[in-house]
Amino acid sequence: MLSAVGFGILGAVPEPDLTTVLLLGIVAVTIGIWSRGVRVGLWGLVVLVFASAARALWVDGYWIYLPEELPSALLRAGLPWLAAVALRQYISLGRQADQEREMKRRERAAELERRFAAERLHLAQSLHDDLGHSLSLVALTVGRLELDSSLPDSSRVALSNARQQVAQAVERLGDSVVSLRAGKPLGPPDIETVETLIRRARDAGAHLDVTRLPEESRLNMFGRDLVRRVVRESITNATRYAPSETITVHATDTGDQLSLCVSNQVRHGPLTMSTSGTGLAELAQTLAAVGGDLDVTRETDRFVVTATFPVAADPAVFGDEKQEDVGDGKPRSRSTRQARIRLVVATVAAIVIGLAVGEAALHFQKKRTVLTAEDFASISIGDAREDVLLQLPGHELPPSRGETRQPGCHFYAVTADSFNYAAGDAHMVCFDGDAVTKLEYIKGKHR
């Protein structure tokens, strides 16, 4: 309350100097940016009005000072206060919009997590029930064939390797199911390198011709995981569609780019491509996202996969799957922008309405003191007081602050229009006894 009283009294100072105006502006801005600034400022403006009215009526003795000085006092105090309030509200609304956007982002993230959790559980159940059962049957069949004494030793060794690979696949499947249910990321074992992948394929019976493949430390510069995925998918497709053909793997390291070409001969029937999940189609998108390229072509009787890998900016995460952006992407909501517009409009409207009300009150008061130029011209020195009083308005202009008037002299407004060039000028009519003794047109700057 003391702040409101001090603010109002400081704003009600009549004809303030520059120091007072600057001090008032600092106080108004300080109150405006205060958390309780709206309430304190409003009470301060109420105190300003009452203080101005009390001074005009009881101290100065002329109530007409109130409509003359109140608009400017309200502007001096109210304009910086409103500007500070608007600035604080603008910042507050921005923070509120940020909080709303963050809340929406978290809600969206939670919804996605719930959906992904349901999908993981469904996938884990399908893998466990369908694929796990099928792989177990395959392992059982291969194990039974391995015990067949009529097979040659080479076939029994191949069956033994096949059974071990199926067992490893079942173990990997079990780990994947556990990871899916727990929501942990899936991926190949860290110990599996490109060389390990190629060796396992050869052990399974694939014919691989590998040339100029860089060392593992060098492959890591191009995103080792992504290179391994391309090689694995290419070998998988080749063994699926041309199981008896030689698979050629040729790599070219140019320093800032690795080119990898995997091809195989296709002799039997038309080529049928089917890619899904981690297939070539998805690998092409992943490579394109990191600045690489993957091209799949059919050259006469050969199937060719050509992939280019740029140097990875962060080899540790190069090739990771893209994460979905759960933000709403909007810097501000529509409701927040509308609230800001309403705030600006309300601020401007308050200022305009205050000026209009003050101007209307001043015009009304001055109109009662106007002595027109025609009436003033019709008065002459020596005219009788009784005749002249019939032409004069019922009210006259009060003296300006610091103005000293001669006894018997009365001042009347030339015009009530504040925007007229004669605003502030006055007609002076002086009486001595029962007659007019002096007539003068006084400029406002000389009053």
Side-chain angles (χ1 to χ4, degrees):
M1 183 56 70
L2 292 178
S3 301
V5 173
F7 176 46
I9 293 177
L10 185 61
V13 173
E15 300 180 359
D17 55 12
L18 181 60
T19 302
T20 304
V21 172
L22 291 177
L23 179 60
L24 176 62
I26 294 174
V27 172
V29 170
T30 303
I31 292 177
I33 61 178
W34 189 16
S35 60
R36 298 171 53 192
V38 175
R39 181 182 303 176
V40 174
L42 288 175
W43 278 111
L45 294 181
V46 171
V47 173
L48 186 155
V49 173
F50 277 97
S52 299
R55 187 193 64 247
L57 294 177
W58 295 322
V59 178
D60 298 329
Y62 296 99
W63 55 267
I64 199 172
Y65 285 151
L66 182 61
E68 287 184 349
E69 296 180 353
L70 187 58
S72 60
L74 288 173
L75 282 179
R76 286 194 302 270
L79 188 59
W81 170 72
L82 281 175
V85 169
L87 177 61
R88 185 178 183 277
Q89 291 295 327
Y90 184 89
I91 296 174
S92 177
L93 287 173
R95 291 176 178 174
Q96 182 179 355
D98 291 338
Q99 293 174 356
E100 291 176 355
R101 187 172 65 254
E102 178 64 18
M103 184 178 299
K104 291 180 180 179
R105 189 194 69 81
R106 291 180 179 179
E107 291 176 354
R108 175 62 175 164
E111 176 62 26
L112 289 176
E113 180 60 28
R114 287 192 293 269
R115 190 179 70 189
F116 292 158
E119 293 177 353
R120 286 196 303 266
L121 291 176
H122 178 72
L123 178 59
Q125 190 66 33
S126 298
L127 289 174
H128 181 271
D129 294 344
D130 300 333
L131 188 55
H133 177 69
S134 299
L135 287 176
S136 298
L137 293 179
V138 172
L140 181 61
T141 302
V142 172
R144 187 174 64 252
L145 291 175
E146 184 183 357
L147 298 177
D148 190 351
S149 59
S150 63
L151 294 176
D153 292 340
S154 59
S155 299
R156 296 176 66 182
V157 171
L159 288 172
S160 177
N161 293 333
R163 182 180 55 79
Q164 293 177 3
Q165 292 174 0
V166 172
Q168 293 175 357
V170 172
E171 184 180 355
R172 289 280 307 279
L173 177 61
D175 294 338
S176 298
V177 170
V178 173
S179 298
L180 284 171
R181 287 175 175 172
K184 297 179 180 179
L186 299 177
D190 294 336
I191 60 174
E192 185 180 39
T193 64
V194 176
E195 293 182 356
T196 303
L197 176 66
I198 293 174
R199 184 173 62 252
R200 289 177 55 237
R202 283 172 172 166
D203 292 341
H207 303 285
L208 290 172
D209 181 13
V210 182
T211 57
R212 304 181 64 180
L213 185 66
E215 296 180 355
E216 193 70 20
S217 60
R218 182 60 183 170
L219 289 178
N220 191 50
M221 299 300 298
F222 299 100
R224 182 187 59 187
D225 294 342
L226 190 53
V227 174
R228 181 178 57 233
R229 288 177 57 189
V230 172
V231 173
R232 182 179 59 193
E233 185 65 23
S234 300
I235 294 176
T236 300
N237 285 342
T239 55
R240 179 187 306 169
Y241 299 111
S244 61
E245 301 297 334
T246 300
I247 303 171
T248 302
V249 180
H250 179 75
T252 302
D253 184 359
T254 61
D256 58 351
Q257 180 177 280
L258 175 66
S259 177
L260 185 67
C261 180
V262 183
S263 64
N264 61 275
Q265 190 171 7
V266 180
R267 296 181 179 178
H268 306 290
L271 177 64
T272 302
M273 292 186 60
S274 175
T275 59
S276 61
T278 57
L280 293 176
E282 183 180 345
L283 287 175
Q285 296 177 359
T286 304
L287 269 172
V290 298
D293 180 63
L294 189 141
D295 184 37
V296 181
T297 59
R298 173 78 178 269
E299 299 177 355
T300 311
D301 59 348
R302 294 192 67 81
F303 182 71
V304 182
V305 177
T306 305
T308 56
F309 306 84
V311 174
D314 187 357
V317 299
F318 189 79
D320 289 348
E321 299 298 328
K322 296 182 290 182
Q323 296 182 351
E324 183 174 355
D325 183 11
V326 297
D328 57 11
K330 296 180 181 179
R332 295 290 183 266
S333 65
R334 182 179 179 182
S335 60
T336 302
R337 292 195 298 269
Q338 291 177 347
R340 289 181 172 181
I341 294 175
R342 288 195 297 268
L343 177 62
V344 174
V345 171
T347 303
V348 175
I351 296 174
V352 173
I353 291 175
L355 288 174
V357 171
E359 179 60 28
L362 183 60
H363 178 80
F364 174 75
Q365 300 299 340
K366 278 191 173 181
K367 190 174 182 180
R368 304 171 64 186
T369 67
V370 172
L371 177 61
T372 64
E374 293 79 6
D375 291 338
F376 182 71
S378 65
I379 301 174
S380 301
I381 296 177
D383 288 348
R385 177 192 289 266
E386 294 181 357
D387 297 334
V388 174
L389 289 178
L390 297 176
Q391 297 176 269
L392 296 177
H395 299 81
E396 63 177 288
L397 289 174
S400 301
R401 297 188 188 279
E403 179 185 3
T404 302
R405 292 185 175 179
Q406 300 175 9
C409 292
H410 305 273
F411 288 72
Y412 303 94
V414 174
T415 178
D417 185 4
S418 299
F419 299 97
N420 192 295
Y421 71 93
D425 297 351
H427 290 135
M428 184 182 72
V429 180
C430 298
F431 295 96
D432 186 5
D434 294 332
V436 176
T437 58
K438 187 176 182 181
L439 298 171
E440 186 177 351
Y441 183 97
I442 300 178
K443 291 289 187 179
K445 61 182 180 179
H446 296 148
R447 291 185 58 206

